[in-house]
Amino acid sequence: MERQRGSGTASQDGDPGRGTEDRKPQSDEAHSAFTPPLGVPLPAPPPEDDHPTSEFALPKGVVAPHPAYTPPYGIPKVSLTKEAPWQDRMRTMLRMPVLERPVPERPEKHAEESGPPVPRVLDLTLRIGELLLAGGEGAEDVEAAMFGVAHAYGLARCEPTVTFTLLTVSYQPSLIDDPVTANRTVRRRGTDYNRLAAVFRLVHDITTQGLTLEEAYGRLAEIRRNRHPYPSWALTLASGLLAGAASLLVGGGLVVFLAAAAGAMLGDRLAWLASGRGLPEFYQFVAAAMPPAAMGVALSATGTPVQASAVITGGLFALIPGRALVAGVQDGLTGFYITAAARLLEVGYLIAGIVCGVLVVLYGGVHVGGKTLNPEAALVHRERPVIQIVAAMLLVFAFALLLQQERHTVLLVTLNGGVAWVVYGALADTAGLDPVPATAIAAGLVGLFGQLLSRYRYTSALPYVTAAIGPLLPGSATYFALLNFAKNELNTGISAITKAAALALAIAIGVNLGSEMSRMFLKVPGEGATRRAAKRTRGF
């Protein structure tokens, strides 16, 4: 009966083998590999609120230790005073971890209100950073200015990055929001400390007075439209005055002063011509270095009883890139090694251009009238304190004009340079100290006074520092090295060029150390805020 019932059931379905086929799949696609086998319960259904979360989100029931996470409005641990210069305040914040940085107070917003226009704020930040970097400002101060602008407009979680030619700024509202990044390339550089000071005043007004974006853009457009404070003919005369004053500084007389001034002005005009033709800066330095060297060789060939080597030395003073050297060493000491390496490489190329221009002339002079070129004449030291102090101040005054400084800063930087030369003369001549430490001490005073003046006027320290180090530049040592190279006396030339490099590094390190000392001993900009080191570890 059981067997007939089963047969009857199969016959009613019309397929005698169907009962057996129901126990196995018809093909490999009949079931999924992810289907649980028989006897295993199905997993729980997914939650209805399937919203993405951040990997940094805390699970329920877990209490985060402070400050493992940042609330939407930040953790105001540190309150920075508004009386301190914005450079110090922003530099202090840049060296803090992101979680410890104070954020600007943000008022409660309604649903229809939106946040700050992030793209416009980032664009304004990059444009201001571009002007500062193109003007020769150090990488740390450029980052501080960029961070100050972004922070003033409400972008607290902002990270600026500065290299030699590229500016980048990134803003991330929170840990789960996508970051917004913008960058800008600096393709042209120019020495205009008048524009640099105007940009510093703009950043000061943005960070303290709360300028709107429209007002800040308007001020920035005016800065870009401003012409240089001095015409080109005044800059040519300033280059001649600088070279003449430098020749007096190394022992020259009136004839040497006039010859050095004429050679430097001719070199300046040749450099302007090369620049107008679109030649790179290397060839501009080659063209500018040849006329002073030719003037000195011509005076030696005529047999006139003048110190012809002082003419070439004065021309070298007007060409040595002291501004780029100080900025490069300063970037290296503050931890910006990529920018420092690029700046120092630029200094190397510019010095190579000077070497090429001078060596071409000296090589011809040595082979035409080798006996008339006396390398020892460059080392004749004549103690003339009054003349040398006046010459040093004239050199600084002319250097300040070449740097396109504001008129009210020229007198201050001239006095700063005069004090530096008096200190150097007292240490090197009177006390008999070696020139390298004497130069470092004098440059340290220049950096200290320059930083104090910049803090008093809420502006950059470069206008008060760069021109003041002019009398300390190693012009005579550089000339002596080049002349010995031209005479194929390599050992003596290498010794002299090493001394010149040591003097240059002493200047750069002294200026940076003086600036850091002023920040170390003066009032810290905030209660409980400490200025951290450039690197947060010891490097072990």
Side-chain angles (χ1 to χ4, degrees), residues 194-471:
N194 184 28
R195 178 178 295 178
L196 189 69
V199 176
F200 264 74
R201 285 193 295 268
L202 173 60
V203 177
H204 172 69
D205 293 342
I206 290 175
T207 55
T208 57
Q209 300 180 9
L211 295 180
T212 64
L213 280 175
E214 288 73 16
E215 293 173 345
Y217 267 108
R219 292 269 300 273
L220 190 63
E222 292 179 1
I223 294 173
R224 287 182 173 274
R225 286 194 300 265
N226 285 343
R227 299 180 60 87
H228 298 306
Y230 310 109
S232 59
W233 61 266
L235 300 180
T236 301
L237 292 177
S239 64
L241 179 61
L242 191 155
S247 65
L248 292 178
L249 202 62
V250 296
L254 180 59
V255 177
V256 172
F257 177 91
L258 296 177
M265 287 189 290
L266 181 58
D268 181 78
R269 287 293 90 190
L270 287 178
W272 278 97
L273 180 61
S275 175
R277 296 293 181 178
L279 291 178
E281 197 171 13
F282 175 85
Y283 300 105
Q284 298 176 27
F285 272 77
V286 173
M290 294 179 69
M295 191 70 67
V297 171
L299 288 177
S300 298
T302 56
T304 55
V306 296
Q307 191 179 357
S309 58
V311 177
I312 305 177
T313 303
L316 291 177
F317 266 92
L319 296 176
I320 295 177
R323 173 182 60 87
L325 175 66
V326 171
V329 175
Q330 180 179 0
D331 288 342
L333 294 177
T334 52
F336 295 85
Y337 300 115
I338 296 178
T339 308
R343 288 185 189 272
L344 294 178
L345 184 61
E346 180 190 30
V347 171
Y349 272 105
L350 298 182
I351 292 179
I354 299 172
V355 169
C356 291
V358 175
L359 278 182
V360 168
V361 178
L362 290 183
Y363 186 81
V366 166
H367 285 74
V368 172
K371 296 182 179 180
T372 59
L373 288 176
N374 183 13
E376 299 296 333
L379 300 181
V380 173
H381 182 68
R382 301 168 58 185
E383 293 187 7
R384 302 180 298 175
V386 177
I387 296 178
Q388 288 179 337
I389 292 175
V390 173
M393 297 182 69
L394 284 177
L395 191 153
V396 175
F397 174 79
F399 203 174
L401 297 184
L402 287 176
L403 294 174
Q404 304 277 359
Q405 293 189 195
E406 295 178 304
R407 289 180 171 85
H408 69 272
T409 65
V410 174
L411 179 60
L412 294 175
V413 71
T414 302
L415 294 176
N416 195 10
V419 171
W421 180 256
V422 169
V423 172
Y424 171 78
L427 294 175
D429 296 337
T430 305
L433 192 64
D434 188 80
V436 175
T439 301
I441 295 173
L445 291 178
V446 169
L448 177 61
F449 294 154
Q451 191 63 229
L452 293 176
L453 290 172
S454 69
R455 289 172 62 93
Y456 175 72
R457 294 185 176 272
Y458 293 88
T459 184
S460 173
L462 289 181
Y464 303 102
V465 169
T466 305
I469 64 172

Side-chain angles (χ1 to χ4, degrees), residues 116-126 155 169 171 180 182 213 217:
V118 176
R120 294 196 67 197
V121 173
L122 296 184
D123 178 71
L124 177 65
T125 302
L126 289 173
L155 305 187
V169 58
Y171 170 67
V180 180
L213 280 175
Y217 267 108

